[in-house]
Amino acid sequence: MEEFPSLYDLTYADYQEDIPFWIDLIGRTEVLELGVGTGRVALPLAVAGAGVTGLDHSLQMIRSARNKMTQAGSRINLVYSDLTRLPFSEGSFASVICPFSTINYVTDLAALRRAFSEARRVLRKGGLFAFEALSWHTYDRWLNNDGLQHVVDRVGKAPGEPIDITYSYQFDAAHQIATQERLYRVTVADGVRKEYLIHWRNRFAFRAEYLLLLEDSRFAIELEAGDYQGSTYSHDAEAYIVVCRAV
Ligand SMILES: C[S@@+](CC[C@H](N)C(=O)[O-])C[C@H]1O[C@@H](n2cnc3c(N)ncnc32)[C@H](O)[C@@H]1O
């Protein structure tokens, strides 16, 4: 998906449900967003007065975010790097966020440990770290499959600009890794169709894994929520949202 920022935006740019949560949480502080993507969250945060640094390991995503920032006349510091190796010195930020399940792209436990300890290192004491992870409940169709499953979804936007997405899923329960292949068929102009095959790999961590690793990295949990309205996290939650403090 990172190779095709325009497809990312066709699929997700209109998703806004989490934006008020991030704006309320961050306010006008200096924030680092891990996995900034095309700036879906970074841009409204900057408009609301936060000092935003966005980091991503995809040059294509960074370029797309930069174009949007320029068009919007916003200033955001964009950095090309991996979220498990942050090119910042200790205590550089008041907050670090990792929205929209970017944490699930970290597919081994050692890397997840590094990601949390890096977030802690670049935070000032008392700083805020928050992320949203995929819930096991909402993604049961990724997880409950007999090896390979095919679903076709049509998520057309403007008339004449439909996207068909054919998903195939495979879940490796031993390693908690869901792989997906998504075949996007997009009508670009005058009925011309283009096809893109995109491979995804996400690890579903358990709550206890997150909590143990966060504690190891010297974070104290402030909130665990199951949605952006702050509902208690439970087995059927839409998401797993964690807010913690650097101690
Ligand atoms: C689901 S998108 C989220 C984008 C944006 N935060 C949003 O909410 O729309 C995940 C982003 O994280 C980036 N990403 C995934 N793994 C990463 C890693 N290890 N280091 C840095 N960026 C990563 C991807 O390139 C992609 O842009």
Side-chain angles (χ1 to χ4, degrees):
M1 192 61 135
E2 296 85 43
E3 293 154 51
F4 304 104
S6 54
L7 281 188
Y8 183 84
D9 278 349
L10 274 172
T11 319
Y12 298 115
D14 293 344
Y15 178 73
Q16 300 272 304
E17 204 184 316
D18 54 345
I19 304 295
F21 172 86
W22 294 116
I23 289 177
D24 280 356
L25 191 72
I26 299 309
R28 303 171 71 86
T29 61
E30 291 295 316
V31 62
L32 168 65
E33 183 184 352
L34 304 176
V36 67
T38 61
R40 190 187 63 81
V41 176
L43 190 53
L45 279 177
V47 169
V52 184
T53 298
L55 175 140
D56 208 288
H57 71 172
S58 156
L59 270 181
Q60 288 90 334
M61 287 302 220
I62 297 256
R63 282 195 196 109
S64 164
R66 180 166 299 133
N67 287 340
K68 281 196 200 167
M69 303 310 149
T70 310
Q71 278 166 26
S74 269
R75 281 180 58 83
I76 291 177
N77 182 25
L78 291 165
V79 177
Y80 171 56
S81 188
D82 195 279
L83 61 81
T84 60
R85 304 248 180 256
L86 300 180
F88 309 106
S89 49
E90 285 175 25
S92 302
F93 297 96
S95 43
V96 175
I97 62 170
C98 192
F100 214 34
S101 64
T102 298
I103 205 71
N104 295 91
Y105 289 70
V106 179
T107 51
D108 77 82
L109 206 54
L112 189 58
R113 183 187 290 277
R114 274 202 307 279
F116 287 168
S117 84
E118 280 290 87
R120 175 64 188 86
R121 185 182 61 76
V122 303
L123 271 173
R124 297 195 258 288
K125 198 168 178 192
L128 208 67
F129 176 47
F131 64 89
E132 181 209 325
L134 297 171
S135 82
W136 290 73
H137 168 74
T138 312
Y139 294 90
D140 62 348
R141 68 176 179 164
W142 295 14
L143 307 180
N144 297 329
N145 61 76
D146 54 1
L148 207 59
Q149 187 182 61
H150 294 271
V151 181
V152 178
D153 275 2
R154 184 164 201 137
V155 277
K157 302 266 169 169
E161 197 187 15
I163 326 171
D164 283 324
I165 312 175
T166 307
Y167 298 83
S168 77
Y169 307 104
Q170 194 159 26
F171 183 55
D172 170 0
H175 300 96
Q176 296 157 231
I177 289 180
T179 48
Q180 296 179 57
E181 297 212 323
R182 292 190 186 179
L183 177 66
Y184 284 75
R185 293 193 195 88
V186 185
T187 305
V188 283
D190 300 330
V192 177
R193 306 278 272 170
K194 277 198 161 187
E195 294 193 350
Y196 306 87
L197 186 64
I198 295 176
H199 188 77
W200 293 46
R201 201 159 178 270
N202 294 117
R203 182 170 185 277
F204 281 70
F206 287 103
R207 172 173 177 257
E209 292 178 77
Y210 288 125
L211 296 182
L212 279 172
L213 293 181
L214 288 167
E215 193 185 342
D216 278 1
S217 293
R218 291 177 296 119
F219 283 111
I221 308 297
E222 285 209 339
L223 172 81
E224 291 175 87
D227 61 28
Y228 283 102
Q229 287 67 51
S231 304
T232 308
Y233 179 67
S234 61
H235 75 283
D236 58 352
E238 286 168 24
Y240 181 51
I241 300 161
V242 179
V243 178
C244 50
R245 288 254 169 226
V247 291

